Amino acid sequence: MTYLNPQQKQQTETALTFLAEAQKLRAEAESLRIALDEEKAAKKQREIAKIDAWINDLLVNRTIDSRTEMLNNVEQVFDRLIDGRYNQEQINKVFKRMCDTAKQPQSRSNCSPLMTTFVDAVGRVDSLEREENPNRRWNGRVERVLRRKLFLNDYFQPEEEEDDDSDSNLMTRN
């Protein structure tokens, strides 16, 4: 049996106190990490719901029942883009969401009618003169970027989640 002098006993008690405190802090950090992960997932779900609402606003004219919808044509989508004052970031998010949810990969040679309608309407907004477009944030190069992405999808499979900044940089380049 080992006897501890009072100084050693004090050091041992202090070490045990620090150990207990460290375990509490680890547990608290883990619970904060879990809460942060849950918040990130909820934020992502809210963003997806918002983008889906934009898609419905732009492309769906009327819902007949749960499986049947009347879709907008290019002219109607063009009008919705103007009236809703959609910006390049929103257009890019809608495009990405449409590509992500499509049953088949979207590309220039294999493009869904919805995607074609959307990109054609964006092209019509691009062709508006600056004075005629009430949306002053529109830079007139959005269609070109979307068509470039579709073209690239013909030859390259999109990588896993690329940097979101790279998509926005494409929208602002001259």
Side-chain angles (χ1 to χ4, degrees):
M1 187 176 256
T2 311
Y3 294 101
L4 300 175
N5 66 29
Q7 184 181 9
Q8 291 173 330
K9 190 175 182 180
Q10 176 73 22
Q11 290 174 345
T12 304
E13 289 174 0
T14 304
L16 290 174
T17 304
F18 286 147
L19 182 61
E21 185 70 26
Q23 288 173 340
K24 286 181 192 176
L25 290 173
R26 282 188 196 102
E28 183 180 345
E30 181 64 22
S31 67
L32 289 173
R33 188 192 58 77
I34 290 170
L36 182 63
D37 290 345
E38 290 171 354
E39 180 60 30
K40 284 181 182 178
K43 183 178 180 182
K44 186 174 183 178
Q45 287 301 97
R46 287 191 304 270
E47 181 73 13
I48 288 171
K50 182 172 59 171
I51 294 169
D52 287 345
W54 292 339
I55 291 171
N56 284 336
D57 179 52
L58 288 170
L59 298 172
V60 176
N61 187 337
R62 179 176 48 194
T63 302
I64 296 172
D65 61 33
S66 64
R67 300 185 71 203
T68 309
E69 297 175 332
M70 297 288 292
L71 301 176
N72 287 330
N73 59 28
V74 174
E75 184 66 31
Q76 292 166 322
V77 174
F78 166 75
D79 290 339
R80 288 300 311 136
L81 286 169
I82 297 295
D83 295 342
R85 294 185 184 226
Y86 286 86
N87 63 29
Q88 292 90 336
E89 182 181 344
Q90 291 170 311
I91 297 300
N92 198 38
K93 287 179 180 180
V94 167
F95 178 84
K96 185 172 181 351
R97 179 77 175 142
M98 288 174 70
C99 288
D100 291 345
T101 59
K103 291 181 182 176
Q104 57 191 3
Q106 298 291 306
S107 65
R108 181 183 51 93
S109 62
N110 192 17
C111 195
S112 73
L114 281 176
M115 184 65 79
T116 303
T117 301
F118 177 68
V119 173
D120 289 346
V122 169
R124 293 215 37 219
V125 175
D126 279 352
S127 65
L128 280 179
E129 292 297 324
R130 186 82 171 165
E131 299 80 38
E132 295 173 11
N133 190 347
N135 188 354
R136 299 294 180 219
R137 296 178 291 175
W138 196 272
N139 73 5
R141 294 182 179 94
V142 181
E143 179 193 21
R144 180 177 61 182
V145 172
L146 298 182
R147 292 207 187 272
R148 182 183 310 155
K149 288 179 181 182
L150 288 173
F151 178 79
L152 289 174
N153 286 344
D154 266 341
Y155 299 101
F156 305 106
Q157 288 298 323
E159 297 293 324
E160 285 294 315
E161 274 307 302
E162 290 184 12
D163 209 25
D164 287 338
D165 294 335
S166 65
D167 289 340
S168 61
N169 288 341
L170 281 176
M171 290 293 190
T172 57
R173 279 190 202 152
N174 289 334

